[in-house]
Amino acid sequence: MDLNTPAQELAPTRRRVPALTGIRTIAALAVCLTHAAFWTGHYTDDYLGRLLSRFEVGVAIFFVLSGYLLFAPWVKSFQRAKSGASTYPALGRYAWHRARRILPAYWLTVGAVYVVFLFRDDPSDFGQGWSGLLRNLTFTQVYGLGHLHTGLTQMWSMAAEVAYYVALPLVAWLLVHVVCRDRWRPDLLLVGLGALLLVSPLWTVVVHGSEGIDLTARLWPPAFAGWFVGGMILAVLVRLLTSWPAWPSVSVALVAFLASGAAWAGEPTIVPSDAGAAIIKHTLYLVVALGLIGPLAVGEGKLGAGEFGAGELGAGMGGWSAFCGSRPMVWFGEISYEFFLVHVMVLELVMDLLGYSVFTGSTIAAFAVTTAISIPVAWILHRITRPLWR
């Protein structure tokens, strides 16, 4: 997911692209909606039920955006290497920046949820005790059954996100120094990234076909690496393309999303039980994410590529970019990480507030009330932690 990298952090010399922050609003609300549908019992195995579950595509949008934003500085430096002016991103600064951006808000949320359940009955035995707290604080809750604590079940995606943060510098170094031999070869770079796209489907086939492998392996980072790599590919394409027409792209994304509700993409769950269905669903999610983000990164009209690339100077020119870059979208996008962190715990409380038992009630009502309460909570969390990373 990138849940936490503002677009302006790509490099100090580039212009901010507000629309790349605003697109987070769509991703965050989509994730909240799919959780509301699950909690109210509407993950039925028919087209509507499957489609409601597919709003989890918000996670794929976050992951693609993360791959794009974090790999873009490497591509920029790599492109400049041909003139001998390249300085690759400093590993220490990268690691420190990632840590101080994600950890304070994350740790506060995890701690708050555990405190809430000191006074509230927990229907689940998962993630209990000090060992459960330690796993949730260290992003290791997905490795083995029984560690996803109530109110924090969405954090499986954070475990994958952090794994990508750790792997990115090594992967980028291998692509730059081994595959491309320190030359600006976007063709070889794309071939290398294309090979990395195979990690997720191969992993899916292996973990679905081996009885001895832990079931939680279906949620481990390699299962979703293709979305992150898709964002990395987009970071290269920004250097090569001068336009990415928005409405055809957004239309393809919409068609892919609607297609994901068909039976061939599996039952309404994060990872379908059939390997083929899981691969189809994850591929359709990648198409959705790239279709929505591509025009914002590259630019909707024909733009001058210039020194910093088309996406850096021209994104935001067009109807889709204007919508995603509007003030309400950008404002919500700025707190989308914190919204993601708190909304599941808020949803747990909202179900009681509305008098719904588990798997009953109105999805729209649960979604609307959860969103209304989560926004101010997320804003407060954002304001508390912002001095630590700004």
Side-chain angles (χ1 to χ4, degrees):
M1 53 199 79
D2 182 2
L3 300 171
N4 41 62
T5 308
Q8 65 269 31
E9 291 179 13
L10 281 175
T13 55
R14 68 161 294 167
R15 269 183 209 171
R16 175 177 180 173
V17 182
L20 290 176
T21 299
I23 190 68
R24 301 174 190 281
T25 298
I26 294 174
L29 290 176
V31 172
C32 183
L33 177 59
T34 199
H35 288 149
F38 175 78
W39 258 252
T40 54
H42 290 94
Y43 266 29
T44 51
D45 198 10
D46 51 27
Y47 182 77
L48 180 59
R50 289 191 295 268
L51 197 64
L52 284 171
S53 76
R54 304 312 192 217
F55 280 94
E56 67 185 4
V57 71
V59 174
I61 294 172
F62 279 130
F63 280 14
V64 169
L65 191 59
S66 178
Y68 166 67
L69 292 174
L70 296 179
F71 191 54
W74 281 87
V75 176
K76 177 184 295 186
S77 297
F78 188 23
Q79 188 178 26
R80 289 176 174 173
K82 60 185 178 182
S83 64
S86 175
T87 301
Y88 295 113
L91 180 59
R93 183 177 184 277
Y94 164 82
W96 173 238
H97 186 81
R98 291 291 84 216
R100 68 193 182 104
R101 177 59 183 102
I102 67 169
L103 291 179
Y106 178 82
W107 282 343
L108 282 174
T109 302
V110 171
V113 168
Y114 271 80
V115 169
V116 166
F117 281 100
L118 291 177
F119 306 95
R120 175 183 171 86
D121 290 335
D122 190 344
S124 170
D125 293 329
F126 291 170
Q128 300 299 318
W130 288 106
S131 62
L133 175 61
L134 181 62
R135 277 184 171 267
N136 279 273
L137 288 174
T138 57
F139 306 101
T140 56
Q141 64 268 52
V142 298
Y143 304 107
L145 287 170
H147 308 297
L148 293 173
H149 192 279
T150 303
L152 298 170
T153 51
Q154 81 280 23
M155 300 303 190
W156 67 265
S157 62
M158 287 301 301
E161 184 89 9
V162 169
Y164 302 148
Y165 292 164
V166 173
L168 178 63
L170 176 59
V171 171
W173 184 87
L174 290 173
L175 289 169
V176 170
H177 295 284
V178 177
V179 176
C180 299
R181 297 186 179 276
D182 292 310
R183 294 176 294 163
W184 172 237
R185 290 291 304 273
D187 53 339
L188 293 179
L189 196 54
L190 290 173
V191 168
L193 289 169
L196 288 176
L197 277 178
L198 298 177
V199 169
S200 289
L202 290 175
W203 179 267
T204 299
V205 170
V206 170
V207 299
H208 278 73
S210 303
E211 294 183 1
I213 294 180
D214 193 317
L215 282 177
T216 62
R218 299 181 184 185
L219 283 178
W220 293 358
F224 311 99
W227 299 340
F228 194 79
V229 173
M232 296 170 72
I233 291 174
L234 181 58
V236 179
L237 294 179
V238 163
R239 302 282 154 180
L240 304 176
L241 303 178
T242 57
S243 67
W244 188 313
W247 295 117
S249 184
V250 173
S251 297
V252 169
L254 178 59
V255 170
F257 175 71
L258 294 175
S260 72
W264 61 59
E267 66 273 23
T269 184
I270 297 172
V271 182
S273 56
D274 178 74
I279 293 171
I280 290 172
K281 190 182 83 161
H282 291 170
T283 301
L284 289 171
Y285 284 6
L286 178 59
V287 172
V288 172
L290 287 174
L292 297 180
I293 298 170
L296 307 179
V298 176
E300 297 183 28
K302 191 166 183 62
L303 306 164
E307 178 186 4
F308 297 112
E312 295 173 12
L313 296 179
M317 299 177 64
W320 176 237
S321 294
F323 170 70
C324 292
S326 62
R327 281 192 176 184
M329 293 289 286
V330 173
W331 182 87
F332 195 112
E334 291 282 2
I335 64 169
S336 59
Y337 172 51
E338 292 80 7
F339 180 91
F340 175 85
L341 293 179
V342 305
H343 81 278
V344 171
M345 187 65 247
V346 171
L347 178 58
E348 290 275 350
L349 301 175
V350 164
M351 291 291 287
D352 289 347
L353 180 66
L354 296 177
Y356 296 160
S357 57
V358 178
F359 303 137
T360 66
S362 165
T363 294
I364 298 301
F367 167 71
V369 178
T370 298
T371 299
I373 296 175
S374 296
I375 287 175
V377 175
W379 181 83
I380 292 171
L381 182 59
H382 182 81
R383 297 296 295 181
I384 290 173
T385 58
R386 182 174 177 174
L388 301 177
W389 51 268
R390 275 294 185 193

